[in-house]
Amino acid sequence: MRAVHVTEFGGPEVLQHVELPDPEPGPDQVLVEVEHAGVNYADTHQAENSYLAPSSLPLVPGGEVAGRTPDGRRVVALLDGGGYAQRAVAAPGRVFDVPDGVDNVTALAMLVQGTTAWVLLRRNAHLEPGESVVVHAAAGGVGSIAVQLAKAWGAGRVIATASSEEKRELALGLGADVAVDSRAEDMTTALREANGGSRVDVVLDMTGGRITDESVAALAPFGRLAFFGMASRRPPQPVQLPSLLKHSTSVSGMWLPHVFRLPGNVFGTALAELFDLVRDGRIRAVPGGEYGLTEAREAHEALRARGTVGKLVLDTSR
């Protein structure tokens, strides 16, 4: 089969298009004929071994695929790796049927980015109707869905941040009430101004660095910041617990694999609700571009340059 292979850690240049043997599913695994592989920012960390879960060489990147099982089911699947290939294997509990009317790109967008946004708003932030919500990187995969979910669930004011006029217009078109330049010199002030002079209730942040620091400083009493990534590759300042006490604020982290440790089928519940919202026309995926397996480097370069919007996928037929 054709696949993307990594034999040394590094940037996009380490992604090699090669022929590899087909994976052999074990007795407790499902084989998926991959039609599209999702591309996530986490994949860029995996390739350079800077992700939360350490990588080992050699590897085929990719943690999500859309395709068909040998019995013809249309599915999306979460993987431990191996997604950038024409065939992949997954645990049965991480294979989900795709309903009619939902295309592969949308299904993949909901599988990781959608469930991430769902968990952040439901479990981390415990969003209440009428609250203000800041979504950083609002034109990205998670952000574009988080904006729509926040509006669908009754947020009072959704404040999007993005780095270009085009991205800010996209966020406004998805339902954001106001869009802020993510390069603002003082994000604390920018967020308060965007919220009519008031502090904000909820912040979803995957940026890191000073943006995280200044967003924490913008929180209202009992405000919550949910941290789920560090696209800037710069860590924020350590959170001082007395400061949280002084302002009655909370900071939490979220890594999607931990959702599977929760009692009940939280992940399946989230994905089913997201598919229903898609079919009802209340939310949509934002296609970010289809690349061939031979163009995986270009996909990673675009992600790292922060030049993309929505959901990126690899088409395994080319």
Side-chain angles (χ1 to χ4, degrees), residues 237-254:
Q237 293 296 315
V239 174
Q240 300 299 320
L241 296 186
S243 176
L244 298 182
L245 178 65
K246 179 178 179 180
H247 299 288
S248 296
T249 52
S250 302
V251 175
S252 65
M254 199 280 285

Side-chain angles (χ1 to χ4, degrees), residues 15-258:
L15 303 179
Q16 304 290 329
H17 179 247
V18 300
E19 292 279 344
L20 291 176
D22 288 352
E24 292 290 338
D28 295 321
Q29 290 182 312
V30 176
L31 178 69
V32 179
E33 293 284 343
V34 180
E35 296 169 359
H36 292 92
V39 180
N40 295 306
Y41 206 87
D43 300 344
T44 69
H45 285 288
Q46 185 185 35
E48 66 180 14
N49 199 24
S50 61
Y51 194 45
L52 290 172
S55 302
S56 59
L57 296 172
L59 66 90
V60 173
E64 54 167 357
V65 296
R68 293 188 180 271
T69 60
D71 60 2
R73 293 164 55 204
R74 282 190 67 227
V75 299
V76 284
L78 290 170
L79 317 172
D80 292 328
Y84 290 13
Q86 291 181 307
R87 295 173 189 86
V89 293
R94 299 196 178 189
V95 178
F96 306 90
D97 290 305
V98 178
D100 293 340
V102 178
D103 61 70
N104 281 354
V105 174
T106 299
L108 285 169
M110 298 304 144
L111 181 67
V112 170
Q113 279 87 5
T115 54
T116 295
W118 190 101
V119 171
L120 289 167
L121 289 169
R122 286 281 200 231
R123 304 286 301 213
N124 288 73
H126 299 283
L127 175 66
E128 295 287 346
E131 289 188 315
S132 55
V133 179
V134 174
V135 180
H136 287 306
V142 175
S144 60
I145 298 173
V147 165
Q148 297 174 79
L149 285 180
K151 292 301 289 186
W153 292 341
R157 189 168 182 81
V158 176
I159 301 163
T161 77
S163 60
S164 70
E165 186 64 32
E166 180 184 20
K167 290 182 177 182
R168 292 191 289 274
E169 287 296 325
L170 172 61
L172 292 170
L174 294 171
D177 296 290
V178 62
V180 172
D181 191 335
S182 62
R183 300 164 298 180
E185 291 186 8
D186 182 348
M187 186 57 71
T188 303
T189 300
L191 294 181
R192 293 188 64 173
E193 289 178 350
N195 199 35
S198 299
R199 293 176 176 272
V200 298
D201 298 308
V202 171
V203 178
L204 307 186
D205 178 43
M206 51 80 68
T207 304
R210 73 170 182 89
I211 297 302
T212 304
D213 302 333
E214 293 168 10
S215 297
V216 171
L219 290 173
F222 298 100
R224 293 87 70 199
L225 182 143
F227 187 69
F228 65 103
M230 200 167 64
S232 70
R233 286 172 161 77
R234 296 187 182 94
Q237 293 296 315
V239 174
Q240 300 299 320
L241 296 186
S243 176
L244 298 182
L245 178 65
K246 179 178 179 180
H247 299 288
S248 296
T249 52
S250 302
V251 175
S252 65
M254 199 280 285
W255 188 34
L256 195 61
H258 288 151

